[in-house]
Each structure stands twice: as C-alpha cells, then as structure tokens.
C-alpha cells in the first residue's frame, strides 16, 4: 500500500510538471510572436478615483490631535505622532542637535525601561517603536500586532513622555556622527547635493548648514533635555493610528496613556527661518581628480506646494522627465550625453524649495551637457509643448499620484501632513482636478513665470583637468569650492 501511494505521488508530480512546462512553452511562444510596442503606443487604463477611507478626528483635553483610521485587512496596528519641531530651529553653533535628540530619545531608554529592556520586549513581540527629527518635523512611531497593541502603545507613550537621554547613548551617537563627517566626501553625488543647497540657500541657512566636529563637541545631555522640553508636549503634536483595532478601545487606550500629559500653556507658533537666494547665477566647481565623470546640478530658489500653479508645474516636470520626457529623449537618447538626466520644480510645504536639474556625464562631455540642459529649459519657455507631450505628462502624473493612496496608512500620513503644515484636508482633490485641467498654454506660462535661466546656479563635481573644453566656456569666472573637512577640536570618543 505504501509503495502504491508513492507511485501515485510520483506520477502526479510528473503530470503537474508536464502541464506547467506546456503552459510556459505556450506563454513564451505567444510572447515571442507578439510585437513589442513603443512606449508611446501603450494604452493607460483610466485613473481610478482617489477615495478617502473612513476616519475619525478628535482632540483630547490637553490639545493632542488624534486621527483614527480602521483597516482590518491584517492583524496589525501602527501609529505616528508628528511633533512641531525640526533641525531648522536648532542653534547655529549646535548643528546636529535635533537629529541627535531624535535618535537618543529612543535609544536612550525611558524612566521605566532601559534601552535594552525596550529592545527585548519589542523584539519578543515582533514590534517596533522609533523616533526621528528631520529638518521640518519630529516623529515617533510604533508598529504592533493587534493582540499586543496595548503593551506596545504603552512603550510608545513612555518614549514620547519619559525619555531619559542616557549619556552613554549620546556619546555613541556623537561618535557615529563624527565617523559620518569623516566619510562625507566619499560619494560625489552626496557632495554635489550638499554643496548645491549651500549655493542656493546660503551656507549658514538652516536649510543648508552641515554638522561639523565643532558643533557636535558643543552638544551636551542638558541640550538634549532642553530641546525635548521645548517642543514635546501634547498640544504641539498630531497622533495618527491606523490598523486592526476597536475604535472605542483605542480611544480609551490613547486617553489612558496620553490624556494626563500636561499641555504647554505657552505654546506659540514658532517663526520660520527667512529664506532668500544666496546666489543669482554663477558656475561653481568641486575638483575631484579621481573621478572619470562629472556630477552636475543646476537650479535656483523655487516655491511652495500652496502655489496656485503647483499642478501645472508638476505637469511641466512630467514633460521634462521620464522615458517619454524631453531631457531623456534629447540629452540621453539623441545626443548620448547623459548616464542620467532630470529637471524638477521641487516645492516644500512651508518654505521655498528649488528648481533643480542635473545628471551625470563623462568628463569631456560636461560643458556640452550643461549647454544642452540650459537649452531644454529655455525651450520650455519659447516653444509650446505638443498635445501628445501634455497628455502623456498628465496621465503619468495622475497615475503615479494614485499610488500614494494604495493603503490607509499612506492616506492617513498625507492627511496628517496637511494639518501639520496648515493645508486644507481636500488639498489632494484640488490638486488632482488642477492636473486634469492643465493645458499646453499653462505649461508655457508657468515656465516663463517660474523658471529663471539667467539665474541658474551651476555646480560641477568632477575632474577639472579632464573637463575639456573647460568650464570657462560657460562663464568667465568659475568659483572653486573647498570641501576640506574642518579638524575636530577634541578627539572622538570610542
């Protein structure tokens, strides 16, 4: 009997394998005989309508704004608290402080749990609690199985309310940061990005300044505590929770863990740093003799998302970029100048972003690449885009936009960001309608209004000897940029 079962099993496996092989052969033969379509002949399905899942918004007595969005597809719960803070408000002589606060707030433990204890509990429950402070916002987040959400949310609340910023964890983070400074010139693309921001915003601007050994040496545990106490309180944050939970139980859990947290009665709107262009044109160079290609960035100060022309500017980005875009077709495909090339109007929520264009090319093609990129930027202003270009850019933009709402957590994150920066909740619907309404005349109009070819700042990171013809063909004066790393005042701790 056992032998018979084995024989049947083997025969069934053989038959299954044969069927699969025949299906694969059939499918491959169909693929082989089908003519490949050009990308311009591809037909896009109509863009699906973006719909917001049901959600609840309420405010605790202490001022904490809460969003709840149920999603019972998986037995998971996640949440994020956005905190009105950011590195742009740290002191200029202590650059790096905000990022360190965001790191040690989690790694330094709490009043009730050491960092090791937190790690052990979370690891056992396949959960996570993380904190971070970026340029314009602070955040604390958690992820948990539904059955463990009460425990994990409790630890999340501890990290938010009772971090102790252990000195040894601060020392470790500072040591790691110093290692990062020592290696910061190893990647040419990162060098170009860092130095370009300085050229646009100014080297002392909160949007461009960099961490140095001297600024790290000035940061103490007391600085971390002071920064935390200035910004982390309930009426200065927005909490969003999404996932598989009972809304009444979740409301009760949030109230029990965060409801007694005292608000700051002096919570005032923090003034944003002023922004003005540091340069109105010019050619700048970082000499890297070891490189065989040039990293090129060009651009100028830009605008914000709340511009009435944001949608048209985004469609303009679609005309420039991608496989069907002008820059790819002209600089890469036709002229063969670029390994990569792009151009983008890149706004920010509450301060001016940048218009930035660039790419990588071989050293001896650097000047030709820059001139070709300049020509395409100017062409947007003097030559209307075709109906075919416009439709392709609009369809690409709208299709990619829909992917921002594939799951409830993405949607909730966007709603929270809109409230955080003071945007209307229906901003995304206004944007989608404006994209649809954009015309060829709009593209030329915004290109003329917002792009400033005469004010383009150009930065080249490359081998200056190998760049032939030289950059002086672009400007009589090429300003060198020194990226030497200032020496540390005190040795890094190990």
């Amino acid at each position: 009997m056992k032998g018979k079962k084995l024989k049947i099993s083997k025969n069934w496996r053989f038959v299954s394998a044969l069927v699969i092989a025949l299906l694969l052969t059939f499918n491959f033969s169909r693929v082989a005989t089908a003519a490949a379509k050009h990308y311009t002949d591809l037909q896009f399905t109509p863009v699906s309508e973006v719909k917001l899942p049901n959600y609840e918004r309420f405010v605790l007595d202490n001022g904490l704004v809460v969003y709840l969005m149920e999603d019972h597809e998986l037995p998971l719960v996640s949440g994020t608290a956005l905190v009105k803070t950011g590195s742009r408000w740290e002191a200029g002589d202590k650059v790096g402080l905000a990022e360190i606060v965001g790191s040690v707030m989690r790694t330094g433990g709490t009043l009730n749990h050491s960092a090791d204890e937190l790690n052990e509990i979370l690891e056992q429950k396949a959960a996570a609690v993380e904190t971070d402070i970026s340029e314009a916002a602070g955040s604390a987040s958690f992820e948990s199985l539904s059955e463990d959400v009460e425990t994990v949310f409790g630890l999340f609340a501890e990290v938010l309310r009772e971090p102790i910023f252990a000195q040894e964890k601060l020392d470790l983070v500072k040591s790691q940061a110093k290692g990062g400074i020592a290696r910061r010139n190893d990647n040419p693309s990162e060098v170009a990005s860092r130095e370009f921001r300085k050229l646009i915003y100014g080297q002392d601007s909160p949007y461009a300044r960099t961490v140095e050994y001297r600024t790290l040496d000035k940061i103490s545990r007391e600085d971390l505590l002071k920064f935390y106490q200035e910004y982390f309180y309930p009426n200065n944050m927005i909490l969003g929770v999404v996932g598989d939970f009972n809304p009444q139980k979740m409301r009760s859990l949030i109230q029990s863990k965060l409801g007694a947290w005292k608000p700051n009665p002096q919570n005032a709107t923090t003034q944003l740093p002023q922004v003005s262009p540091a340069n109105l044109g010019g050619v700048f160079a970082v000499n890297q003799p070891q490189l065989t290609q040039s990293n090129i960035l060009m651009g100028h100060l830009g605008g914000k998302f709340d511009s009435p022309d944001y949608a048209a500017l985004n469609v303009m980005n679609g005309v420039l970029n991608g496989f069907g875009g002008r820059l790819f077709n002209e600089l890469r495909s036709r002229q063969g100048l670029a390994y990569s090339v792009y151009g983008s109007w890149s706004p920010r929520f509450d301060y001016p972003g940048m218009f930035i264009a660039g790419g990588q090319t071989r050293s001896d093609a650097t000047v030709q690449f820059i001139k070709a990129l300049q020509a395409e930027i100017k062409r947007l202003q003097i030559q209307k885009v075709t109906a075919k270009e416009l439709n392709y850019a609009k369809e690409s933009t709208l299709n990619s936009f829909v992917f921002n709402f594939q799951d409830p957590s993405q949607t909730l994150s966007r709603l929270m960001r809109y409230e955080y920066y003071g945007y209307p909740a229906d901003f995304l619907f206004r944007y989608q309608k404006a994209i649809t309404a954009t015309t060829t005349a709009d593209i030329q109009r915004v290109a003329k209004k917002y792009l400033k070819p005469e004010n383009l700042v150009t930065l080249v990171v490359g081998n200056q000897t190998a760049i032939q013809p030289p950059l002086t063909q672009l400007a009589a004066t090429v300003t060198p940029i020194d990226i030497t790393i200032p020496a540390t005042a005190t040795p890094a701790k190990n």
Side-chain angles (χ1 to χ4, degrees):
M1 181 64 72
K2 290 182 179 178
K4 188 175 181 181
K5 287 183 177 179
L6 179 62
K7 186 176 180 180
I8 292 172
S9 177
K10 286 183 176 179
N11 288 338
W12 175 248
R13 290 178 187 172
F14 173 76
V15 172
S16 299
L18 180 61
V19 171
I20 292 171
L22 288 171
L23 288 172
L24 289 174
T25 302
F26 174 72
N27 285 333
F28 280 134
S29 65
R30 290 184 64 186
V31 172
T33 56
K37 290 185 178 181
H38 193 266
Y39 71 86
T40 55
D41 297 324
L42 295 175
Q43 297 295 318
F44 294 100
T45 57
V47 177
S48 58
E49 183 181 353
V50 174
K51 295 182 179 179
L52 293 182
N54 292 329
Y55 69 92
E56 179 183 7
R57 179 192 179 279
F58 58 92
V59 183
L60 299 188
D61 291 341
N62 60 11
L64 176 66
V65 176
V66 181
Y67 283 82
L68 297 183
M69 186 177 286
E70 294 178 67
D71 178 17
H72 300 287
E73 185 174 355
L74 295 171
L76 302 172
V77 180
S78 62
T80 298
L82 289 180
V83 186
K84 195 71 174 180
T85 184
S87 62
R88 56 185 174 183
W89 288 304
E90 66 193 1
D93 62 342
K94 294 181 180 179
V95 177
L97 170 60
E99 185 177 356
I100 291 175
V101 171
S103 176
V104 183
M105 185 174 170
R106 164 63 179 86
T107 63
T110 70
L111 288 176
N112 296 320
H113 293 90
S114 69
D116 290 340
E117 289 171 338
L118 280 173
N119 294 337
E120 184 177 352
I121 296 171
L122 292 169
E123 185 176 345
Q124 288 174 348
K125 296 187 176 298
V129 173
E130 303 294 341
T131 57
D132 178 66
I133 297 179
S134 61
E135 175 185 87
S139 67
S141 62
F142 73 90
E143 295 178 357
S144 168
L145 293 171
S146 303
E147 62 188 40
D148 299 323
V149 68
E150 188 169 344
T151 299
V152 175
F153 189 87
L155 297 176
F156 166 76
E158 278 187 33
V159 170
L160 262 181
R161 297 183 60 179
E162 301 170 341
I164 61 171
F165 299 103
Q167 182 66 50
E168 66 270 20
K169 299 300 183 181
L170 169 59
D171 294 339
L172 176 61
V173 169
K174 288 174 68 173
S175 178
Q176 292 170 336
K178 289 182 178 182
I181 293 173
R183 297 186 300 272
R184 75 182 182 193
N185 290 336
D186 293 350
N187 187 316
S189 295
E190 292 178 4
V191 171
S193 178
R194 181 187 72 230
E195 298 303 322
F196 189 73
R197 291 183 69 85
K198 293 179 182 179
L199 292 173
I200 298 300
Y201 293 105
Q203 64 180 3
D204 295 324
S205 167
Y207 300 112
R209 60 195 180 192
T210 55
V211 181
E212 302 290 355
Y213 293 123
R214 67 178 185 275
T215 66
L216 286 175
D217 287 336
K218 291 184 178 181
I219 296 172
S220 67
R221 180 174 177 272
E222 288 69 31
D223 293 318
L224 271 64
L225 289 167
K226 182 180 178 182
F227 190 95
Y228 167 81
Q229 291 163 358
E230 185 173 359
Y231 297 105
F232 283 78
Y233 40 86
N235 53 327
N236 197 43
M237 63 178 65
I238 302 169
L239 172 66
V241 182
V242 62
D244 180 36
F245 57 79
N246 177 288
Q248 289 183 333
K249 290 182 178 179
M250 181 55 68
R251 287 183 70 130
S252 176
L253 180 60
I254 293 171
Q255 179 64 43
S256 66
K257 300 298 182 181
L258 299 175
W261 193 2
K262 299 297 183 184
N264 183 346
Q266 290 172 0
N267 182 20
T269 303
T270 308
Q271 292 296 316
L272 295 175
Q274 293 296 311
V275 174
S276 59
N279 291 282
L280 295 174
V283 178
F284 301 81
V286 175
N287 188 27
Q288 298 276 267
Q290 77 279 12
L291 299 181
T292 58
Q293 70 176 33
S294 295
N295 286 266
I296 300 159
L297 290 176
M298 304 165 56
H300 52 67
L301 202 62
K304 299 191 295 181
F305 284 110
D306 60 2
S307 165
D309 292 320
Y310 166 56
L313 287 161
N314 216 21
V315 177
M316 181 190 75
N317 288 346
V319 172
L320 284 174
N321 296 294
F323 288 110
R326 288 184 174 185
L327 297 181
F328 185 95
N329 290 345
E330 181 64 23
L331 274 74
R332 179 172 171 138
S333 298
R334 196 183 77 80
Q335 297 189 43
L337 292 174
Y339 307 127
S340 66
V341 61
Y342 56 89
S344 178
W345 183 265
S346 301
R348 293 293 180 266
F349 277 104
D350 59 2
Y351 73 94
M354 295 184 285
F355 170 69
I356 185 168
Q360 291 79 43
T361 189
R362 63 185 189 275
S363 298
D364 64 354
T366 300
V367 170
Q368 187 181 355
F369 174 92
I370 292 171
K371 289 182 176 180
L373 191 51
Q374 290 172 336
E376 288 304 311
I377 294 169
K378 291 177 182 177
R379 186 158 76 96
L380 273 174
Q381 298 181 315
I382 62 177
Q383 179 182 322
K384 279 189 176 182
V385 300
T386 65
K388 189 174 184 179
E389 285 180 305
L390 177 72
N391 292 334
Y392 183 80
K394 287 168 67 172
E395 287 175 353
S396 300
T397 302
L398 288 170
N399 274 292
S400 62
F401 175 72
V402 170
F403 284 105
N404 293 319
F405 304 91
Q406 291 186 93
D407 62 69
S409 62
Q410 289 177 300
T411 305
L412 181 59
S413 175
R414 190 170 286 264
L415 288 172
M416 290 171 64
R417 286 204 305 273
Y418 289 158
E419 176 158 352
Y420 181 90
Y421 289 107
Y423 280 61
D426 67 343
F427 179 76
L428 61 95
F429 297 109
R430 298 184 190 182
Y431 166 74
Q432 195 175 29
K433 289 179 181 178
I435 290 289
T436 303
T438 300
T439 66
T440 55
D442 289 329
I443 303 300
Q444 189 174 37
R445 175 181 60 80
V446 297
K448 286 181 177 179
K449 181 177 180 179
Y450 295 97
L451 302 186
K452 309 293 181 184
E454 69 280 5
N455 291 337
L456 286 172
V457 174
T458 301
L459 172 65
V460 179
V461 177
N463 183 344
Q464 300 304 304
T465 302
I467 295 175
Q468 296 296 333
L471 296 178
T472 49
Q473 281 209 357
L474 301 170
T477 302
V478 176
T479 305
I481 295 178
D482 183 7
I483 60 171
T484 303
I485 300 169
T488 179
T490 59
K493 296 181 181 180
N494 295 320

